[in-house]
Amino acid sequence: MSFGSVIRTKRHEMGIGLNEFAERIDISAAYWSRIERDQEKPPSDAVIEKAAAVLGMPLDDLFVEANRLPPDMKRDIPRVVIAYRRMRTSGFR
């Protein structure tokens, strides 16, 4: 599933309308609609964080859907790479 469809599905499950959701995350409804329809790339990290909070979703899950590292991992790329490499060589998949 794409980032936009994951958000749209969860938003519908929670009964939150598009306009209300966009207002709660402080973004235009038209722009958010394009994101949900995969006509735009996932939004900025800050907007993803707001969306996760409104939807009660784990932040990491939304960053994975956006094909992006969470901000805390971006700040610590060397350690993330080392941890990933160690995990891969230990046979964990």
Side-chain angles (χ1 to χ4, degrees), residues 1 8 21 24 32 35 43 45 49-50 59 61 67 76:
M1 213 183 283
R8 184 177 50 245
F21 185 75
R24 289 173 70 178
W32 194 258
I35 290 171
D45 292 353
E49 290 173 356
K50 288 178 185 179
L59 193 54
D61 291 357
N67 265 342
D76 202 11

Side-chain angles (χ1 to χ4, degrees), residues 2 4 8 10 16 49-50 61 67 75 84 92-93:
S2 68
R8 184 177 50 245
K10 182 66 174 177
I16 302 172
E49 290 173 356
K50 288 178 185 179
D61 291 357
N67 265 342
R75 289 187 293 273
Y84 174 79
F92 183 79
R93 292 202 182 250

Side-chain angles (χ1 to χ4, degrees), residues 21 24-27 44-56 59 62:
F21 185 75
R24 289 173 70 178
I25 63 171
D26 197 29
I27 201 163
S44 69
D45 292 353
V47 173
I48 290 174
E49 290 173 356
K50 288 178 185 179
V54 169
L55 298 172
L59 193 54
L62 284 187

Side-chain angles (χ1 to χ4, degrees), residues 48-84:
I48 290 174
E49 290 173 356
K50 288 178 185 179
V54 169
L55 298 172
M57 295 181 72
L59 193 54
D60 287 348
D61 291 357
L62 284 187
F63 277 100
V64 167
E65 291 298 333
N67 265 342
R68 172 174 331 159
L69 288 172
D72 62 323
M73 288 184 165
K74 285 180 189 176
R75 289 187 293 273
D76 202 11
I77 288 289
R79 287 187 183 166
V80 170
V81 170
I82 290 168
Y84 174 79

